Amino acid sequence: MITYTEEQREAIKPQGSLVITACPGSGKTAVIAQKIRNELQNLKSYQGVSAITFTRKASRELEERCRKDNSDTKASFFGTIDSFCLSEILYPFLNQVLGGSTESMNPKYESDLTDAERLLTTSLKDIDEVDTTSLTVIKKLYLNGTVFFPTIPALALYVHQNCTACKNYIKAKYTSIYIDEYQDSSKAQHMLFLSIVNSGITGVAVGDLQQSIYGWRRCSPEFLKQLMIYPGFTHRTVSYNHRCHPSIANYSNRLFNPQFELVPTDSLQVWQCKLIGTQRDAAISLNRLIPAILEKSNTFKPSDVAVLVRNNRTLGYLREHVSIPCRIFSDDAIDLLQSKTGFLWSALLKYKFDPAITPDLVLEALPDHSELSKTKLISARKVIRKARNIDSLLLEEYLQGASKLFLGIEPKDHELSALKKVINDSDALRQYTPITSDEIQCMTLHKSKGLEFEIVIHLDLSEWIFPFQEVGASFADKIYPDWEQDLNLHFVGVTRAKSICLLVHTTMRLNGAGETKNGAPSAFLRLPGVQGLFKTFTYPQ
């Protein structure tokens, strides 16, 4: 049984609409789950809560935790913001606002659009609110059966604001709405949340300003900041990092605040490490460095080690030069499709090669899976189960057939090309299999968010590589246009480490053109707040 801290107990107790800012390793999922379980005890049989997370994986974990102690979650919603907008707002009520029928409505990613639809959606990619001009385009697409994915939150907001039946339904069914990772909300998502709360539902937003790393998706921590002082909301903080070694927590907190009060610790488990050579040489050095670390610690296995990098170029150096067993997590040709067909194929490949994946997890890749009838669900599960026994020679044909069956569309030429490329690439297929204990894990910092490892080796901490730097008027000028986002990303990397964190810079660097340049430690390594909070060593090539 969990013993909650005073901060956690304050966040858990009922107090109306609430903003919880929670640091990495603070037990925020346990807090949210307990808060939801407590609320469910007092609801009527037809009532539930709506719990929105950033990923489907996070939704499953939260729902499983909420089911403990025999809590009834049947009337509750657990899922992503897009799935909530589709199942609870657009499918039931869009026809009341725009006419037509939602029965044949087809949510589409950009890669799924026809050429004619792609021309129409050019003006819709960055909308935060539906106005008269965008509504005309959205309605034209909708009456032809298409809803463009990037417009879903804004369109859901429009429906909620203009459909009394929608407001009444949400208010009758859900007593509260929870949104996790609020620092990664878009303006449309933020306004939808406020619209629902202002209609009479309790709102709970959970986030961390220092983990906002998706600015390029037009997500902003400003909305979390606004909510922290929004009328009717109470702000609670859950600030103790239970996951990381105290010295790692101290180092990460001092990245932002040189005066942050340190947690007592009897050892330093953060190392700033200088490797001789370029990023390529650093990759080669890992073949000796990682076994040496594991031998010295004597308590960890290779899969406890994660090598985190800033960009795909360094990931390529790891792929070429790391000779010890490793798993490199990168986007393959199917991931890059960003289409319904691609998401389905990826889910089916994970099911085929990973025994832990269930048919229902595959079904979640379908945008309208919540709308499938019981008969169709039974039939779909039978088709999915066949994937486990499909001969590798027939796998390509099976996946093509599955996309036609589940999505009702023929795969496009570029999708078929991507499928063929992955099916014939043993390294690409290996990414769909479970990690083994003898493999270290290598990925970008963005991919590492939400994960944790005993040992983190954070590469690319050299000037001009990370943080991103632009050329100034003189050599002495230091211009970092994305400093805040980059520092947040560095913070994410450091806080993935539970026991040991190794921060690596190199004496030389390879630029984007492949030219060798002099190297210098990243500005992040020279921040005043972290001085004295790490050990230093040089590891020769």
Side-chain angles (χ1 to χ4, degrees):
M1 185 174 180
I2 299 175
T3 302
Y4 292 106
T5 65
E6 181 61 29
E7 282 186 329
Q8 290 172 329
R9 288 195 296 271
E10 281 297 309
I12 290 170
K13 72 180 185 182
Q15 53 205 293
S17 290
L18 185 67
V19 177
I20 304 173
T21 49
C23 72
S26 62
K28 69 164 184 173
T29 305
V31 168
I32 298 170
Q34 186 62 57
K35 194 171 180 68
I36 290 175
R37 286 198 299 269
N38 291 350
E39 186 174 344
L40 292 175
Q41 292 176 5
N42 302 312
L43 301 187
K44 298 179 176 66
S45 59
Y46 63 85
Q47 291 178 313
V49 303
S50 175
I52 295 171
T53 58
F54 198 66
T55 65
R56 296 186 182 103
K57 180 181 177 183
S59 296
R60 292 192 296 271
E61 180 186 354
L62 180 58
E63 185 173 10
E64 287 171 5
R65 293 197 185 198
C66 289
R67 284 177 177 168
K68 290 181 179 178
D69 303 326
N70 297 315
S71 294
D72 186 358
T73 62
K74 291 178 185 175
S76 296
F77 173 90
F78 293 87
T80 63
I81 185 66
D82 285 335
S83 60
F84 174 79
C85 292
L86 285 168
S87 66
E88 302 303 287
I89 297 178
L90 298 185
Y91 275 113
F93 301 107
L94 186 57
N95 60 335
Q96 294 192 28
V97 178
L98 297 186
S101 171
T102 59
E103 289 185 7
S104 59
M105 189 173 76
N106 187 9
K108 290 185 179 182
Y109 299 94
E110 185 169 5
S111 296
D112 300 316
L113 300 171
T114 64
D115 290 340
E117 289 171 336
R118 192 168 287 110
L119 286 173
L120 283 173
T121 58
T122 302
S123 61
L124 299 179
K125 291 180 182 178
D126 296 327
I127 69 166
D128 295 313
E129 294 183 75
V130 175
D131 57 19
T132 304
T133 302
S134 59
L135 182 62
T136 301
V137 179
I138 287 171
K139 186 172 183 178
K140 184 173 182 179
L141 288 166
Y142 161 68
L143 293 177
N144 284 292
T146 294
V147 171
F148 187 39
F149 253 98
T151 68
I152 285 175
L155 185 54
L157 170 65
Y158 181 82
V159 172
H160 189 264
Q161 291 177 329
N162 292 277
C163 179
T164 302
C166 176
K167 282 186 181 178
N168 291 339
Y169 165 78
I170 298 291
K171 188 175 178 180
K173 185 174 181 181
Y174 301 116
T175 55
S176 59
I177 177 170
Y178 291 71
I179 298 188
D180 193 13
E181 304 289 358
Y182 205 91
Q183 76 280 354
D184 294 323
S185 292
S186 67
K187 184 177 180 180
Q189 292 165 0
H190 174 61
M191 293 174 67
L192 175 61
F193 177 71
L194 289 179
S195 181
I196 292 172
V197 171
N198 290 335
S199 72
I201 293 176
T202 298
V204 179
V206 186
D208 181 3
L209 295 172
Q210 295 169 352
Q211 292 193 76
S212 173
I213 60 173
Y214 295 108
W216 47 276
R217 290 182 182 172
R218 299 177 65 252
C219 302
S220 173
E222 293 304 314
F223 306 123
L224 179 59
K225 291 178 183 177
Q226 291 175 25
L227 213 55
M228 289 162 64
I229 57 174
Y230 195 82
F233 276 81
T234 301
H235 178 209
R236 299 293 182 193
T237 300
V238 184
S239 61
Y240 187 81
N241 185 333
H242 301 268
R243 179 175 68 205
C244 301
H245 186 274
S247 67
I248 298 174
N250 285 339
Y251 188 100
S252 64
N253 287 323
R254 283 290 182 89
L255 290 171
F256 300 94
N257 180 5
Q259 273 70 53
F260 193 96
E261 186 175 350
L262 300 177
V263 176
T265 179
D266 56 3
S267 65
L268 294 179
Q269 295 296 92
V270 180
W271 295 76
Q272 287 193 7
C273 173
K274 180 169 71 174
L275 294 182
I276 308 302
T278 66
Q279 303 99 297
R280 183 181 289 121
D281 298 309
I284 296 170
S285 294
L286 293 179
N287 295 313
R288 290 188 296 141
L289 178 58
I290 292 175
I293 293 173
L294 291 172
E295 184 177 358
K296 184 175 182 180
S297 63
N298 200 32
T299 56
F300 304 122
K301 54 187 180 297
S303 59
D304 292 326
V305 180
V307 180
L308 307 182
V309 303
R310 178 62 185 91
N311 53 48
N312 287 322
R313 187 166 69 248
T314 303
L315 210 56
Y317 297 142
L318 297 179
R319 183 179 287 107
E320 293 170 4
H321 299 290
V322 173
S323 56
I324 58 178
C326 70
R327 180 69 62 89
I328 295 178
F329 293 94
S330 60
D331 291 335
D332 61 29
I334 289 178
D335 294 322
L336 295 174
L337 290 174
Q338 290 294 296
S339 68
K340 288 190 293 184
T341 297
F343 293 134
L344 175 62
W345 285 345
S346 180
L348 285 167
L349 286 170
K350 289 174 184 174
Y351 175 78
K352 176 173 177 57
F353 293 110
D354 188 346
I357 304 298
T358 66
D360 284 340
L361 295 183
V362 177
L363 288 170
E364 287 185 6
L366 304 178
D368 57 352
H369 71 278
S370 60
E371 302 298 312
L372 294 177
S373 66
K374 186 175 181 180
T375 302
K376 288 184 177 180
L377 283 173
I378 293 172
S379 176
R381 290 188 187 105
K382 287 181 179 178
V383 175
I384 292 168
R385 290 190 183 100
K386 291 180 181 178
R388 288 260 164 89
N389 300 315
I390 288 289
D391 186 275
S392 58
L393 296 176
L394 301 175
L395 184 56
E396 186 176 347
E397 180 182 345
Y398 164 80
L399 292 172
Q400 290 182 43
S403 63
K404 296 175 189 176
L405 178 66
F406 289 125
L407 304 174
I409 55 177
E410 291 279 347
K412 298 178 181 177
D413 288 344
H414 72 282
E415 291 173 330
L416 293 173
S417 176
L419 175 61
K420 186 178 290 294
K421 185 175 181 179
V422 171
I423 291 296
N424 292 298
D425 184 341
S426 58
D427 286 338
L429 286 178
R430 189 160 158 261
Q431 286 200 151
Y432 295 95
T433 63
I435 191 80
T436 59
S437 62
D438 67 333
E439 294 178 302
I440 63 169
Q441 303 181 63
C442 307
M443 66 194 73
T444 62
L445 290 160
H446 277 101
K447 261 194 187 308
S448 74
K449 190 169 186 293
L451 304 178
E452 58 184 53
F453 309 92
E454 293 293 344
I455 302 171
V456 163
I457 300 175
H458 183 339
L459 300 184
D460 285 340
L461 285 165
S462 298
E463 283 287 80
W464 295 97
I465 300 177
F466 193 45
F468 175 70
Q469 188 173 342
E470 288 182 345
V471 177
S474 69
F475 185 77
D477 286 341
K478 301 291 184 181
I479 301 175
Y480 306 105
D482 301 318
W483 176 271
E484 182 178 359
Q485 283 275 300
D486 283 349
L487 185 59
N488 288 349
L489 189 57
H490 176 48
F491 174 80
V492 166
V494 172
T495 54
R496 298 313 92 194
K498 295 169 65 176
S499 301
I500 299 172
C501 185
L502 197 66
L503 307 173
V504 178
H505 64 95
T506 53
T507 59
M508 307 292 287
R509 64 181 175 86
L510 293 169
N511 65 13
E515 301 166 331
T516 301
K517 302 289 184 179
N518 288 327
S522 164
F524 293 155
L525 300 179
R526 295 179 276 111
L527 290 171
V530 303
Q531 303 312 308
L533 300 182
F534 60 88
K535 295 181 181 179
T536 306
F537 79 96
T538 300
Y539 194 81
Q541 170 62 23

